[in-house]
């Protein structure tokens, strides 16, 4: 049972990634680029509808066909990338920040504060999946992009906090922390400048999967009609498509493909990063 | 013990989140044109307000006059002072009292009376819808176990063989395909193109109507089980006691089933417990795709009608079920692995 990573020398992170992970990374970069340059890439303007071509199948004019009001599906999917990227990255950005601060303090300070924070985390994690997000969006009468990001962040930070806390707990007993304390470094400096940088690897891995999770969650919420309104989002497109799938299967097919490719890319990247960054995660065995 | 704290927290969070809904919940349930009398009755029924009597001449005044305070009744003579004037007011109930009432509703298992319809409690609505969701959840669990466990074991027995690679590929698909896409695709394939299985909405009950929803909901779980089973089986098969068992001449299948599998099942039980929540929330989506009745449909209806009694009932039910399943998972450990003790 030899761990592969044991033999690896420290190289650049890209060199350590396997082929699938690099492919995943490329997909993610592509999706982000599409999101940034959406107005230049999209064949039509966002509001453009072609009333003569409603529910049209894919053609040279509309590569992926049109929806029930005659809007170009490809354009909408391209703009949908923006929602996915925005939600994915901002939710994970907020969650990792909150998770590092809360989990770091909880693990480093310990005692009753740790107990209290852990109980709160337990409670947050007792809501399965997007249930709490559904509840939070329910209270904002009109679901918006901001509400979705807020709800998903409020639901997901606890997982990061728990991870960071566990890592900090094992890390704070290390000699370098003791050495830092001996030189007279204060608690905050030790925690955020010394300990946290050393535990970032598993956090980055979880964050990569977290982006995928957030994109999926946003799509699920939109599919349930609780996503951002008035902006095309993949989940909402799929929901619309599903109503007309008897007539035009392509309306449900393509938004789903967009989601799947993005998620697949992020998962490949996450797996690769885990193999490269986190020597403790055993994913492969020699036989 | 921890579960009790968690349940306490869940009830508290749900209570305060739902109370944070802006706007008048009564108006959103009854509609804008509702009569004042009906609104007042509903408010009282939902414990948002209660009546308080005030006797002019005897002193006691209601503590707070909020905008919703209104005069209900005014008559001469009150019990304490026959000379006085009795004023009955509809006073907003304090949040604390609402909270204790809420706990009362949770503890007696009714989850509160559904005030729109007299005498019907939220629990009645839940009970109506639970069997459909439970059937769906059990069927998907069966699908996940039947696909995930055998393929996982096979993959572990022949690592890096074609069957391992095929199952890895399947697992990857299972994890990456969102269920709200798989569902419609399966429908297009099996109901429309091949006409093998019933359409959603078609009045077909029984197993055939359950197959597609169960596969849709179970595929992601089966993928996770498959990977978990493989790695956990591989880990166990490399341990010394397996070699010992093999070398003393125990047949291979017996070593596998009796020695390896039992220990390899521990992480599987964890995954099942943790993923049960995903199964419950996934059921909301799958019920929508296949137009099936169930807790998810009830929840979405409640959200559409902005009936927060239903919404909070569904959320409480789902999260409590999840907490209980996690508790059961913990207890199950002790049974599978007698080395684990809870002291």
């Amino acid at each position: 049972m030899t761990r592969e990573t044991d033999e690896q020398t420290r190289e650049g992170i890209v060199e350590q990634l396997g082929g699938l992970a690099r492919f995943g990374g490329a997909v993610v970069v592509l999706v982000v680029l599409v999101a940034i340059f959406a107005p230049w890439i999209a064949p039509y303007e966002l509001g453009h509808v072609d009333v003569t071509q409603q529910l049209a199948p894919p053609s040279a004019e509309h590569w992926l066909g049109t929806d029930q009001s005659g809007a170009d599906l490809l354009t909408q999917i391209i703009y949908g990338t923006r929602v996915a990227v925005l939600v994915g990255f901002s939710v994970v950005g907020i969650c990792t920040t909150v998770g590092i601060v809360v989990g770091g303090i909880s693990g480093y300070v310990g005692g009753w504060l740790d107990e209290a924070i852990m109980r709160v985390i337990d409670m947050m994690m007792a809501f399965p999946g997007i249930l709490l997000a559904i509840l939070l969006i329910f209270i904002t009468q009109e679901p918006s992009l901001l509400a979705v990001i807020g709800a998903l962040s409020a639901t997901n930070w606890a997982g990061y906090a728990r991870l960071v806390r566990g890592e900090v707990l094992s890390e704070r007993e290390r000699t370098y922390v003791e050495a830092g304390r001996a030189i007279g470094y204060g608690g905050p400096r030790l925690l955020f400048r010394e300990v946290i940088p050393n535990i970032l690897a598993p956090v980055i891995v979880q964050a990569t999967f977290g982006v995928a999770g957030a994109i999926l969650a946003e799509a699920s919420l939109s599919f349930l009609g609780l996503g951002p309104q008035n902006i095309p989002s993949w989940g909402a497109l799929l929901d619309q498509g599903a109503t007309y799938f008897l007539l035009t299967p392509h309306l449900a097919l393509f938004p789903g493909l967009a989601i799947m490719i993005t998620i697949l890319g992020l998962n490949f990247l996450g797996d690769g990063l885990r193999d490269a960054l986190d020597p403790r995660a055993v994913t492969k065995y020699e036989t | 013990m921890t579960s009790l704290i968690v349940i306490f927290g869940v009830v508290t969070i749900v209570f305060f989140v739902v109370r944070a809904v802006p706007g008048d919940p009564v108006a959103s349930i009854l509609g804008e044109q509702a009569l004042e009398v009906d609104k007042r009755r509903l408010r009282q029924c939902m414990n948002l307000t209660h009546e308080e009597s005030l006797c002019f001449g005897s002193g006691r005044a209601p503590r707070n006059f909020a905008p919703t305070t209104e005069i209900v009744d005014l008559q001469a003579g009150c019990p304490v002072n026959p000379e006085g004037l009795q004023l009955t007011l509809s006073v907003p109930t304090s949040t604390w009292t609402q909270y204790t009432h809420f706990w009362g509703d949770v503890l007696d298992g009714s989850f509160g009376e559904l005030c729109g319809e007299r005498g019907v409690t939220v629990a009645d609505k839940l009970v109506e819808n639970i069997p459909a969701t439970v059937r769906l959840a059990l069927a998907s669990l069966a699908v996940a176990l039947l696909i995930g466990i055998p393929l996982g074991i096979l993959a572990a027995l022949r690592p890096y063989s074609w069957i391992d690679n095929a199952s890895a590929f399947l697992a990857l698909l299972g994890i990456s395909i969102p269920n709200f896409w798989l569902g419609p695709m399966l429908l297009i394939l099996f109901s429309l193109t091949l006409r093998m299985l019933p359409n959603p909405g078609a009045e077909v009950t029984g197993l055939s109507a359950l197959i597609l929803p169960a596969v849709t909901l179970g595929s992601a779980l089966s993928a996770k089980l498959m990977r978990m089973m493989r790695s956990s089986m591989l880990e166990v098969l490399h341990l010394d006691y397996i070699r010992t068992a093999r070398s003393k001449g125990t047949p291979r299948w017996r070593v596998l089933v009796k020695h390896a599998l039992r220990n390899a099942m521990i992480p599987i039980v964890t995954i099942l417990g943790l993923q049960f929540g995903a199964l419950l929330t996934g059921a909301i989506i799958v019920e929508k795709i296949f137009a099936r009745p169930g807790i998810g449909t009830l929840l979405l209806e409640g959200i559409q009608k902005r009936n927060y009694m239903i919404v909070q009932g569904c959320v409480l039910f789902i999260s409590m079920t999840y907490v209980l399943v996690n508790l059961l998972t913990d207890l199950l450990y002790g049974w599978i692995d007698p080395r684990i003790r809870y002291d």
Side-chain angles (χ1 to χ4, degrees):
Chain A
M1 195 170 50
T2 324
R3 285 165 193 168
E4 265 200 350
T5 34
D6 284 353
E7 290 104 55
Q8 278 175 355
T9 47
R10 281 254 160 233
E11 298 166 52
I13 186 75
V14 178
E15 281 77 53
Q16 283 188 47
L17 293 179
L20 275 181
R22 286 186 204 177
F23 168 74
V27 168
V28 175
V29 170
L30 185 72
V31 168
V32 173
L33 286 179
V34 167
I36 295 172
F37 297 109
W40 290 276
I41 303 170
Y44 294 88
E45 271 173 43
L46 188 54
H48 178 87
V49 284
D50 193 347
V51 267
T52 57
Q53 297 229 337
Q54 288 167 353
L55 293 174
S59 63
E61 214 176 326
H62 300 282
W63 287 4
L64 303 183
T66 57
D67 69 1
Q68 70 278 11
S69 55
D72 183 57
L73 186 60
L74 179 60
T75 307
Q76 286 184 301
I77 289 180
I78 287 174
Y79 275 92
T81 318
R82 294 192 145 182
V83 174
V85 168
L86 201 60
V87 170
F89 285 95
S90 41
V91 167
V92 168
I94 295 170
C95 286
T96 41
T97 314
V98 174
I100 285 176
V101 173
V102 174
I105 291 174
S106 179
Y108 191 78
V109 176
W112 65 268
L113 187 69
D114 182 36
E115 266 307 303
I117 290 176
M118 284 314 287
R119 288 295 86 77
V120 173
I121 289 175
D122 282 345
M123 283 164 201
M124 298 304 291
M125 295 189 85
F127 289 95
I130 55 168
L131 191 67
L132 186 59
I134 291 179
L135 188 64
L136 287 173
I137 287 173
F138 169 67
I139 70 167
T140 66
Q141 308 271 358
E142 200 117 303
S144 63
L145 190 62
L146 219 59
V148 171
I149 293 175
L152 289 178
S153 309
T155 330
N156 289 334
W157 65 270
Y160 296 88
R162 175 174 283 181
L163 173 77
V164 171
R165 181 231 180 215
E167 296 289 327
V168 169
L169 266 188
S170 65
E171 198 73 11
R172 71 166 184 198
E173 306 301 332
R174 301 278 288 268
T175 359
Y176 75 85
V177 180
E178 210 176 313
R181 209 174 288 131
I183 324 175
Y185 284 166
R189 149 137 211 180
L190 266 175
L191 174 58
F192 291 108
R193 300 275 299 274
E194 311 293 333
V195 176
I196 297 289
N198 275 303
I199 59 150
L200 275 184
V203 178
I204 291 171
V205 172
Q206 183 163 337
T208 314
F209 291 116
V211 175
I215 291 177
L216 262 185
E218 185 274 322
S220 310
L221 285 173
S222 298
F223 182 75
L224 295 175
L226 296 167
Q229 311 288 306
N230 306 324
I231 327 171
S233 119
W234 290 342
L237 290 174
L238 197 61
D239 180 28
Q240 282 172 21
T243 11
Y244 294 95
F245 76 87
L246 290 166
L247 294 163
T248 49
H250 67 270
L251 277 184
L253 181 69
F254 294 121
L257 274 181
I259 298 174
M260 202 182 104
I261 293 169
T262 312
I263 301 301
L264 212 58
L266 282 162
N267 281 343
F268 281 149
L269 185 64
D271 278 336
L273 284 176
R274 180 168 50 200
D275 289 344
L277 289 175
D278 194 357
R280 269 160 301 177
V282 187
T283 50
K284 281 180 185 161
Y285 292 90
E286 283 180 11
T287 44
Chain B
M1 185 57 207
T2 323
S3 311
L4 282 182
I5 299 176
V6 168
I7 286 183
F8 172 81
V10 165
V11 172
T12 309
I13 292 174
V14 169
F15 174 81
F16 283 105
V17 167
V18 167
R19 290 312 176 282
V21 177
D24 186 0
V26 170
S28 68
I29 294 175
L30 289 178
E32 293 296 326
Q33 274 105 36
L35 292 174
E36 261 323 299
V37 189
D38 290 336
K39 283 194 187 172
R40 191 190 309 136
R41 193 179 300 136
L42 186 57
R43 268 197 201 102
Q44 258 173 44
C45 171
M46 290 167 76
N47 292 322
L48 290 173
T49 59
H50 63 278
E51 290 188 350
E52 208 164 286
S53 295
L54 175 75
C55 200
F56 280 113
S58 75
R60 210 170 134 261
R63 280 170 301 267
N64 45 354
F65 278 95
T68 42
T69 308
E70 43 185 330
I71 299 168
V72 178
D73 195 24
L74 185 66
Q75 41 182 200
C78 41
V80 261
N81 181 7
E83 311 281 286
L85 248 184
Q86 175 160 333
L87 182 67
T88 310
L89 293 166
S90 177
V91 188
T93 311
S94 72
T95 313
W96 175 247
T97 320
Q98 285 187 41
Y99 183 60
T100 47
H101 271 293
F102 185 62
W103 263 108
D105 288 342
V106 171
L107 289 179
D108 69 18
S110 70
F111 290 106
E113 192 182 334
L114 201 59
C115 299
E117 303 155 55
R118 271 264 159 241
V120 182
T121 61
V122 176
D124 294 335
K125 284 273 175 193
L126 286 174
V127 167
E128 250 172 61
N129 286 287
I130 286 170
T133 304
V134 168
R135 262 201 302 275
L136 175 62
L138 288 182
S140 351
L141 201 63
V143 168
L145 288 172
L146 285 177
I147 299 176
I149 302 283
L151 276 181
I153 295 175
L154 280 178
L157 290 182
R158 302 254 179 287
Y160 306 108
S161 65
W162 68 269
I163 191 150
D164 187 21
N165 291 333
S167 83
F169 182 70
L170 256 180
L172 199 66
L173 283 185
I175 290 170
S176 300
I177 297 182
N179 48 17
F180 47 86
W181 187 62
L182 183 61
M185 290 303 119
L186 287 176
L187 273 177
I188 292 172
L189 189 62
F190 288 100
S191 296
L192 299 175
T193 317
L194 300 176
R195 302 197 174 277
M196 281 163 58
L197 292 166
N199 284 332
E203 288 297 316
V204 187
T205 44
L207 262 166
S208 61
L210 203 56
I211 295 175
L212 287 185
V215 170
T216 307
L217 187 51
S219 62
L221 182 58
S222 81
K224 281 174 191 141
L225 284 181
M226 208 188 290
R227 298 320 284 164
M228 201 66 199
M229 192 73 228
R230 176 184 183 269
S231 61
S232 131
M233 198 71 180
L234 272 180
E235 200 164 340
V236 169
L237 283 177
H238 279 81
L239 294 181
D240 287 342
Y241 76 88
I242 296 292
R243 201 185 314 139
T244 314
R246 291 280 293 140
S247 60
K248 78 177 187 194
T250 320
R252 196 173 153 80
W253 64 269
R254 216 180 132 82
V255 174
L256 270 182
V257 174
K258 209 164 169 256
H259 299 261
L261 200 55
R262 189 162 170 177
N263 278 298
M265 282 310 273
I266 297 171
I268 299 295
V269 172
T270 322
I271 284 284
L272 277 180
L274 287 175
Q275 290 295 317
F276 188 76
L279 215 56
L280 284 176
T281 45
I284 303 174
I285 289 166
V286 171
E287 279 167 10
K288 184 183 172 180
I289 301 171
F290 292 93
R292 290 172 55 86
I295 297 290
T297 310
L298 185 67
L299 175 65
L300 289 179
E301 259 175 38
I303 289 177
Q304 248 160 31
K305 293 182 184 156
R306 305 211 64 79
N307 186 335
Y308 80 60
M309 296 298 283
I310 298 232
V311 174
Q312 86 187 10
C314 290
V315 171
L316 274 179
F317 173 77
I318 296 176
S319 40
M320 280 179 165
T321 315
Y322 180 52
V323 173
L324 285 181
V325 165
N326 277 340
L327 181 67
L328 279 180
T329 315
D330 280 352
L331 295 179
L332 209 60
Y333 282 151
W335 180 70
I336 293 184
D337 187 352
R339 284 170 303 183
I340 300 173
R341 287 267 169 271
Y342 297 99
D343 296 319

